Amino acid sequence: MGIPEGSLFLKKGDLLFLIIVLIGLVTFMLVRFANFSAEAKNVEVKVDGTTKLEVPLKQSTARIYSVVSSEGSLSFIIDKERVYVLESTCKDKLCIKEGAISRVGESIICLPNRITISIVGEKNEVDSTTY
Amino acid sequence: MFMKGNVIFVARISTLQNRIKIIVLVVLIILFAFFLFYRANNTYVESQIYSMNTIMEMKIWGRSANDVADKISDLVNQLNTLFDDYSPYSEVSRINSNAGLQPIEVSNDTLQIINLSKDYYNLTKGKFNIMMGVVSQLWGFKNNSYRIPSEEEIAEVKNLINIDDIIISQNTIYLKKKGERIDLGGIAKGYTLDKIYKILEESHINSALINFGGSVLTYGDKEWKIGIKNPRGDGIIGILSVKGNNFISTSGDYERFFVENEKRYCHIFDPDTCKPPTVAVSATIVGENGAETDVYSTAFFIIGKSSEEMADSAGVRLVGFDSNLDTFGNSGGLSIFEKR
């Protein structure tokens, strides 16, 4: 009525359309982010700074993994949501002495082999660890 | 009449279509701008570097995160070529191999870190001493062939740890006696973190978390949760909650050590005895300067519980553990620490 024919001013129907488009987009984004923030804990293995393996911390049965780098190799076990190194070709064996890790943010570092094993996940108790 | 009505109807549809087109266009432009802005400000870079005989893990959030990560990598690799005494070509190794022979021309960074180390020697009443390299070598920590030296050997080596034997003249450094050895292991990480902090300050980033072989730099306006490694067990022994920009460094007897006759011998030595100290198993310092934090963690690990007052006067926060894993520290440190 008050709006002249052909005007660019938004009508009720246009506004509704806009709102529907925006709601759709927001829902889409929320669903995407929700998928990311699942509370899953993963075991992430990096060799010389590059991620080589990422597997869930929760396994139905104990699993042993072998990791090979240009410097040597090690094997670690994921058992009852804990991770520890079983064997390593390194000299100092600090990775074995390190013991088991189980919380997000914790990691085992084998310097001579340039291998890191970390527990990663959205819900981290600590941002980093000083040692 | 019929013709006219039809024409009006067509005109209405075309204006409606135009309006929809414009709305869609505007929405898309806004979303695209928002997306670009979001992406630029939420750039996140995570990377690992193996350097200085340890690992650096960095997480950087913000517009120039990629640039900053590259700059940090370059810096760390460059400083490594100066400070790493495991590499025979580093400036420090050249100073050491020319001990008692001739002065060596060094870069600004090497001059700076050695001057700084001399200052900290005085501030810690001699407990932090970069001349302990020869002691570490005697106990086999430089080549992984650990052994307990005899008292005679220890007495002999005590003649080679005098900080005043480091002669600095213009841009050269000279060690007076053959066998003397500079070891920057107790300060190099902290010094590097100080230089990284400068890079971060001059860049467009929101926050960053750098962990350099256990020494941590938190950067950015938020509360950070930093775990302290359990010195005698799995995982962490407790959590530090720190706000904003902080340097956090820990010295402990659990990283590099050997056990003989059920006794533990670690890689840090008390300059007064040239033996590993036994009063603490770990000491963590939170401070506003990387080198300082690094240095005091070593000194207070050696001194143990009685370093609480020194921590206060140095203006740093201390959390340490004795051999029973009982906590010690100053009020600044204990107030931000929660044992689990």
Side-chain angles (χ1 to χ4, degrees):
Chain A
M1 312 253 186
I3 302 161
E5 200 76 45
S7 152
L8 287 179
F9 199 81
L10 295 186
K11 278 185 172 178
K12 248 187 194 165
D14 301 336
L15 212 67
L16 202 71
F17 177 72
L18 217 163
I19 288 167
I20 289 169
V21 168
L22 282 175
I23 288 176
L25 280 163
V26 167
T27 324
F28 172 74
M29 281 172 129
L30 280 180
V31 167
R32 271 197 63 148
F33 282 111
N35 278 343
F36 276 119
S37 65
E39 274 181 35
K41 290 183 188 177
N42 282 342
V43 178
E44 183 193 61
V45 179
K46 285 185 177 178
V47 175
D48 212 355
T50 314
T51 305
K52 294 288 179 189
L53 178 76
E54 194 166 337
V55 290
L57 179 63
K58 203 168 192 170
Q59 304 274 354
S60 50
T61 167
R63 285 218 167 101
I64 296 173
Y65 295 84
S66 265
V67 192
V68 181
S69 76
S70 58
E71 313 294 320
S73 64
L74 60 75
S75 61
F76 68 90
I77 186 165
I78 305 180
D79 184 20
K80 298 182 184 104
E81 297 190 47
R82 292 164 82 244
V83 185
Y84 52 95
V85 174
L86 296 169
E87 273 182 297
S88 170
T89 57
C90 66
K91 250 186 173 176
D92 55 20
K93 312 283 179 205
L94 283 177
C95 49
I96 299 172
K97 288 181 198 160
E98 181 78 32
I101 54 169
S102 57
R103 296 189 192 92
V104 173
E106 292 179 346
S107 54
I108 297 172
I109 299 168
C110 185
L111 278 180
N113 283 331
R114 299 195 163 207
I115 297 167
T116 60
I117 305 162
S118 320
I119 309 225
V120 294
E122 273 295 307
K123 223 182 166 185
N124 52 337
E125 195 182 24
V126 293
D127 297 302
S128 194
T129 300
T130 177
Y131 52 88
Chain B
M1 285 304 276
F2 175 74
M3 281 290 284
K4 199 188 172 196
N6 207 4
V7 167
I8 289 168
F9 181 64
V10 169
R12 270 201 185 140
I13 284 189
S14 81
T15 54
L16 187 68
Q17 275 180 342
N18 277 339
R19 206 179 283 136
I20 290 173
K21 273 183 198 164
I22 288 162
I23 290 168
V24 169
L25 203 67
V26 167
V27 167
L28 282 178
I29 289 170
I30 291 171
L31 279 174
F32 186 64
F34 181 75
F35 171 74
L36 283 183
F37 180 79
Y38 179 85
R39 230 179 81 118
N41 279 290
N42 285 277
T43 306
Y44 170 61
V45 175
E46 196 181 317
S47 118
Q48 288 185 339
I49 314 167
Y50 287 86
S51 191
M52 295 195 198
N53 218 25
T54 188
I55 182 172
M56 172 180 281
E57 294 178 285
M58 51 183 160
K59 293 174 180 174
I60 304 165
W61 295 264
R63 194 139 57 91
S64 49
N66 276 301
D67 281 353
V68 170
D70 288 346
K71 274 188 196 162
I72 293 175
S73 293
D74 290 347
L75 170 79
V76 173
N77 289 325
Q78 186 233 332
L79 292 180
N80 185 44
T81 65
L82 309 178
F83 301 158
D84 182 14
D85 68 333
Y86 285 87
S87 150
Y89 309 107
S90 71
E91 289 191 347
V92 167
S93 289
R94 284 177 45 237
I95 297 170
N96 292 344
S97 59
N98 284 288
L101 297 173
Q102 58 176 330
I104 295 296
E105 210 171 287
V106 296
S107 62
N108 250 333
D109 278 306
T110 306
L111 270 182
Q112 256 183 43
I113 196 171
I114 289 176
N115 270 315
L116 204 58
S117 301
K118 284 190 151 202
D119 295 343
Y120 280 121
Y121 175 87
N122 294 324
L123 283 170
T124 60
K125 301 190 172 78
K127 290 296 183 188
F128 173 75
N129 184 352
I130 55 168
M131 293 290 275
M132 297 303 286
V134 61
V135 179
S136 173
Q137 194 176 25
L138 179 67
W139 286 77
F141 279 93
K142 293 289 177 193
N143 53 3
N144 291 324
S145 55
Y146 310 120
R147 68 189 192 91
I148 303 169
S150 68
E151 291 299 327
E152 290 78 37
E153 285 175 299
I154 287 175
E156 214 171 291
V157 98
K158 275 185 181 170
N159 297 319
L160 299 173
I161 61 165
N162 187 351
I163 193 108
D164 295 324
D165 285 356
I166 306 175
I167 310 297
I168 303 172
S169 165
Q170 287 172 329
N171 62 339
T172 67
I173 293 180
Y174 172 55
L175 292 175
K176 263 189 183 169
K177 295 178 196 150
K178 200 168 168 44
E180 285 179 333
R181 186 170 177 161
I182 289 176
D183 179 350
L184 298 174
I187 189 170
K189 288 187 288 186
Y191 180 87
T192 308
L193 286 178
D194 281 329
K195 299 203 86 167
I196 290 173
Y197 181 74
K198 274 192 195 133
I199 294 179
L200 297 177
E201 266 194 322
E202 289 161 5
S203 317
H204 297 282
I205 60 151
N206 304 332
S207 54
L209 186 64
I210 318 282
N211 190 328
F212 192 7
S215 294
V216 178
L217 165 58
T218 64
Y219 182 88
D221 193 16
K222 62 170 269 192
E223 186 170 75
W224 302 92
K225 301 270 183 206
I226 307 298
I228 297 180
K229 167 99 178 69
N230 186 339
R232 290 292 181 269
D234 296 340
I236 58 178
I237 194 162
I239 298 174
L240 288 166
S241 306
V242 292
K243 286 197 180 82
N245 309 340
N246 294 276
F247 295 88
I248 302 146
S249 175
T250 300
S251 291
D253 68 357
Y254 50 86
E255 275 296 304
R256 281 159 61 215
F257 65 92
F258 67 96
V259 177
E260 206 166 300
N261 296 327
E262 289 171 23
K263 227 186 132 189
R264 179 190 288 249
Y265 299 92
C266 72
H267 72 294
I268 297 168
F269 301 91
D270 184 341
D272 293 330
T273 60
C274 287
K275 291 176 185 170
T278 50
V279 286
V281 295
S282 127
T284 299
I285 306 291
V286 181
E288 290 162 3
N289 177 287
E292 175 190 69
T293 312
D294 210 357
V295 163
Y296 280 120
S297 73
T298 305
F300 295 167
F301 168 74
I302 296 170
I303 300 167
K305 188 175 163 49
S306 50
S307 58
E308 289 167 354
E309 271 178 36
M310 261 178 100
D312 279 338
S313 56
V316 295
R317 296 182 269 188
L318 161 70
V319 177
F321 298 93
D322 65 17
S323 49
N324 299 320
L325 291 188
D326 287 331
T327 315
F328 65 85
N330 62 354
S331 56
L334 297 176
S335 67
I336 53 168
F337 177 70
E338 197 184 327
K339 200 172 179 179
R340 59 165 62 261

